[in-house]
Amino acid sequence: MKSYLGIAAIVILGLMTALIVGFYPTVLQTPVVRDDEQQGLDQQIVIKFSHVVAENTPKGLAAQQFAQLVKEKTHDRVKVEVYPNGVLFSEVDEIRALQQGSVQMIAPSFPNLSDLLPSWMALDLPFAFLSEEAVQEAFDGKIGQTLLDQLQTVDMKGMAFWGNGFKQMTSSKGPIIHPSDLKGQHFRTMRSKLLDAEFRMFDMRTTEMPFNQVYRNYENGTVDGGENSISNIYTKKFYQVQKYMTISNHGYLGYAVLMNRSFWQKLPRDVQQQIGEAMQETTQWANRNAVLMNEKQLEEIRRESQMQIYTLTPEERAEWMRAWDPIYSQYESAIGPELIKQIRQLQRKYGG
């Protein structure tokens, strides 16, 4: 009997030893410490980029270029999803959508920022920039930096300035050579008190209208004309519903490329750097491309349409500059005396 008990004891002891040895790593393992800040970093970061123009415009092409460069520089860690033609938000809604985080990036035209920050009207002053060189000096210098810095106060991160081109006037009523030719006409304008005031100086009516509604309202005669860049006139086929165009270069159409500031601040530092590099390269390419596109598409409008195109002479251009000059003092307090001073310096430097 004792021998049986001894054998049983040995068997039980062996089983217990095997059990302990078999599960030793698990029994002695310390609890896993999780770093909450690292959770999700292996997942792809998605940036929704909404804009309101066509894909084949300077801004549309720049957005695609930026998305591709971000993909390459981050090795697919970040994906930029581009939504053109206002499919997500119209220009009326896109700034609020960015602030609320419904999208992470937008590129509104300068007038669309002037309700939030009146200083941005500086970029829409008539004949503020007399050449492409003047535009780039403004974007890259004190004027541009001042305006980008102000965006922080409304939870937006200013990334860059993208150009579209100088603005021209179009109409279905008749040639526009002198300011008096605008009398009685009805123009579509972008959302801007300053732009409304510019045209109302000439005894005419204005209506603010989202970009994606312009063609239809030109076609049905709700408005007689408006101002836009060559690339927008071409890609949206405004030349089909407008009979006259004046090459006036009286204003500049450009975009502020913006990111939701809170979203930007949460991105890892290395990702911020990679996105910044992609934006810098895109901006250099985009602003060169805008100039080339406008030159090429003006020639295509001349070939493909019956539009009557008139270019202002230096004397006629000076007449327009004198007629619009009172706007500067009228909006000096809203824009800020220092920005007005810097615009005037650029004008003198480039021949104003």
Side-chain angles (χ1 to χ4, degrees):
M1 184 68 178
K2 288 182 181 180
S3 60
Y4 287 118
L5 289 174
I7 293 170
I10 291 171
V11 171
I12 291 170
L13 182 61
L15 288 172
M16 289 179 65
T17 301
L19 186 66
I20 292 171
V21 171
F23 286 92
Y24 178 76
T26 304
V27 171
L28 296 185
Q29 190 175 36
T30 56
V32 175
V33 178
R34 297 188 180 275
D35 182 354
D36 291 336
E37 294 185 359
Q38 296 300 316
Q39 289 185 15
L41 289 187
D42 57 336
Q43 298 177 359
Q44 190 177 54
I45 298 168
V46 176
I47 297 174
K48 292 183 179 179
F49 189 163
S50 172
H51 67 80
V52 301
V53 299
E55 294 170 284
N56 58 339
T57 58
K59 178 165 65 171
L61 293 170
Q64 295 173 54
Q65 175 82 351
F66 173 68
Q68 182 60 36
L69 285 175
V70 169
K71 174 184 172 71
E72 293 171 3
K73 289 181 179 294
T74 65
H75 306 288
D76 269 342
R77 188 179 178 188
V78 179
K79 180 182 181 182
V80 178
E81 296 178 349
V82 180
Y83 297 89
N85 287 306
V87 295
L88 285 187
F89 296 98
S90 71
E91 59 193 305
V92 176
D93 303 318
E94 63 181 1
I95 290 177
R96 187 183 306 109
L98 181 76
Q99 290 176 309
Q100 293 174 347
S102 301
V103 292
Q104 290 71 49
M105 286 187 72
I106 60 173
S109 58
F110 302 146
N112 289 313
L113 286 165
S114 60
D115 276 349
L116 274 179
L117 299 166
S119 55
W120 278 76
M121 289 189 289
L123 301 179
D124 285 314
L125 286 164
F127 295 104
F129 312 117
L130 302 180
S131 66
E132 290 289 349
E133 292 77 17
V135 171
Q136 287 307 311
E137 185 168 332
F139 287 176
D140 298 338
K142 290 182 180 179
I143 294 172
Q145 194 58 55
T146 297
L147 295 173
L148 291 179
D149 288 345
Q150 291 177 1
L151 292 166
Q152 298 180 34
T153 64
V154 289
D155 200 29
M156 292 189 282
K157 163 74 175 173
M159 304 291 290
F161 293 99
W162 287 352
N164 184 302
F166 282 98
K167 292 187 290 186
Q168 323 302 339
M169 290 179 280
T170 66
S171 175
S172 60
K173 274 201 166 181
I176 301 170
I177 299 172
H178 305 284
S180 57
D181 295 328
L182 289 175
K183 184 176 180 178
Q185 293 208 39
H186 185 185
F187 260 28
R188 174 263 176 176
T189 59
M190 291 179 278
R191 281 196 309 160
S192 168
K193 294 176 182 177
L194 184 142
L195 293 179
D196 264 359
E198 283 182 22
F199 287 105
R200 287 179 182 271
M201 289 178 69
F202 305 128
D203 195 19
M204 61 187 299
R205 288 194 297 151
T206 61
T207 296
E208 294 181 2
M209 187 182 297
F211 182 67
N212 58 8
Q213 297 177 16
V214 174
Y215 184 96
R216 181 172 68 252
N217 283 280
Y218 281 167
E219 186 177 35
N220 63 28
T222 302
V223 291
D224 301 316
E227 57 173 1
N228 230 305
S229 66
I230 293 294
S231 64
N232 281 353
I233 293 167
Y234 179 78
T235 57
K236 286 298 186 181
K237 302 187 184 300
F238 293 159
Y239 59 83
Q240 294 180 346
V241 287
Q242 297 276 271
K243 295 179 182 178
Y244 306 93
M245 177 164 66
T246 298
I247 304 300
S248 55
N249 291 349
H250 65 278
Y252 192 82
L253 181 59
Y255 309 106
V257 188
L258 311 176
M259 187 174 286
N260 177 283
R261 187 166 177 261
S262 301
F263 175 83
W264 170 262
Q265 291 176 329
K266 292 176 183 176
L267 292 174
R269 286 288 180 86
D270 60 327
V271 171
Q272 288 182 347
Q273 182 178 347
Q274 291 161 343
I275 290 175
E277 290 172 358
M279 180 58 67
Q280 185 177 12
E281 291 179 26
T282 299
T283 300
Q284 292 172 354
W285 175 87
N287 291 337
R288 289 194 304 269
N289 186 56
V291 174
L292 297 174
M293 285 188 70
N294 278 277
E295 291 174 352
K296 178 182 177 183
Q297 289 171 348
L298 176 58
E299 293 308 310
E300 290 177 357
I301 291 173
R302 292 186 193 276
R303 284 199 307 270
E304 296 176 13
S305 77
Q306 301 300 311
M307 201 177 212
Q308 296 183 34
I309 301 173
Y310 182 83
T311 301
L312 293 180
T313 67
E315 293 76 21
E316 290 160 352
R317 184 179 170 90
E319 180 188 5
W320 283 94
M321 291 181 73
R322 288 193 299 271
W324 261 321
D325 194 67
I327 286 288
Y328 281 75
S329 55
Q330 185 179 342
Y331 280 85
E332 182 174 357
S333 60
I335 293 171
E338 184 59 30
L339 280 173
I340 294 287
K341 178 183 175 182
Q342 291 167 7
I343 292 289
R344 292 293 200 189
Q345 289 172 345
L346 271 184
Q347 287 177 322
R348 289 192 293 271
K349 179 175 179 179
Y350 290 96

